[in-house]
Amino acid sequence: AIDGDYRQDVTTGADGWVELRVASGSYRVTEKSVPEPYVIGDEPTQTISLNAGDEKELVFENLKKPLLGISKIEKNTGEKIPGTVFLLEAIDGDYRQNVTTGADGWVELRVASGSYRITEQSVPEPYVIGNQRTKTISLNPGDEKEVTFENLKKPELTLSKIDADTQKPIPGTVLRVEAVNGDYQDD
């Protein structure tokens, strides 16, 4: 009660409603908590005046925490890439979590509102991490956003040794493959 001693915490039922019988007067109603995945709205307090015989209702509207989806695909084919690990970090906070794409090349989670940095940590063979390894995103309550990372497969080199006259394969040939910059060597 605004001008009285009445104070009571109530919880909505399965239908989202709670009904009270109170004395006439003015009341301040403040939303104190909401279940996951909802967030308390920007205006958690409402006031109402009630006279004898009144039947009024207050409605509090809530949005869900933002839903962030991260997808990983092969750049040329659109093939989904499972098993990619990303680090999700709040830019202005302490939140930090590793997430991994599932069999569908996708991972989604609900997070608090804010700005996030998403960094690709590792990708399964035969893919290589792309040039744009880190992306940022801002999320507000109710948002459902997706960030897509694209990768290419490692280059594939096929070597063959054939007889120049018969054009038949020559088995057992040993070839050396060596990167020009010296990073790769395989006998």
Side-chain angles (χ1 to χ4, degrees):
I2 291 175
D3 297 319
D5 294 334
Y6 182 86
R7 178 170 288 167
Q8 181 178 353
D9 287 344
V10 294
T11 303
T12 57
D15 60 359
W17 287 87
V18 64
E19 290 184 10
L20 299 170
R21 291 274 179 206
V22 294
S24 296
S26 294
Y27 293 86
R28 181 176 22 255
V29 181
T30 302
E31 188 173 32
K32 294 175 68 176
S33 67
V34 292
E36 286 288 331
Y38 296 95
V39 294
I40 293 176
D42 291 337
E43 298 180 22
T45 301
Q46 297 184 39
T47 59
I48 191 167
S49 293
L50 297 168
N51 297 311
D54 283 349
E55 290 187 16
K56 294 183 178 179
E57 72 179 47
L58 290 177
V59 175
F60 288 82
E61 293 183 355
N62 299 98
L63 294 171
K64 290 181 179 179
K65 284 182 177 178
L67 180 64
L68 172 61
I70 304 170
S71 65
K72 178 64 174 225
I73 61 171
E74 201 282 335
K75 185 174 184 175
N76 293 328
T77 65
E79 175 185 348
K80 297 178 180 356
I81 304 174
T84 303
V85 178
F86 294 96
L87 173 62
L88 179 62
E89 300 173 281
I91 292 175
D92 296 320
D94 295 335
Y95 183 87
R96 190 176 163 92
Q97 181 177 343
N98 281 317
V99 296
T100 304
T101 58
D104 58 358
W106 174 263
V107 62
E108 69 178 21
L109 63 159
R110 291 208 180 265
V111 294
S113 298
S115 294
Y116 292 87
R117 180 176 25 259
I118 306 164
T119 305
E120 188 174 6
Q121 298 291 298
S122 66
V123 64
E125 287 288 333
Y127 301 97
V128 293
I129 293 176
N131 292 335
Q132 192 171 11
R133 178 180 189 164
T134 300
K135 296 184 179 186
T136 59
I137 190 167
S138 290
L139 298 166
N140 296 308
D143 282 351
E144 292 186 6
K145 293 186 178 179
E146 177 182 342
V147 177
T148 299
F149 285 79
E150 297 178 332
N151 292 122
L152 294 170
K153 289 182 178 179
K154 288 180 179 177
E156 185 175 319
L157 174 63
T158 302
L159 302 171
S160 63
K161 178 71 173 175
I162 56 171
D163 181 293
D165 292 329
T166 66
Q167 296 297 304
K168 292 190 176 184
I170 303 174
T173 302
V174 176
L175 303 166
R176 174 177 293 253
V177 178
E178 189 173 333
V180 174
N181 61 10
D183 289 342
Y184 181 80
Q185 183 174 332
D186 193 356
D187 287 330

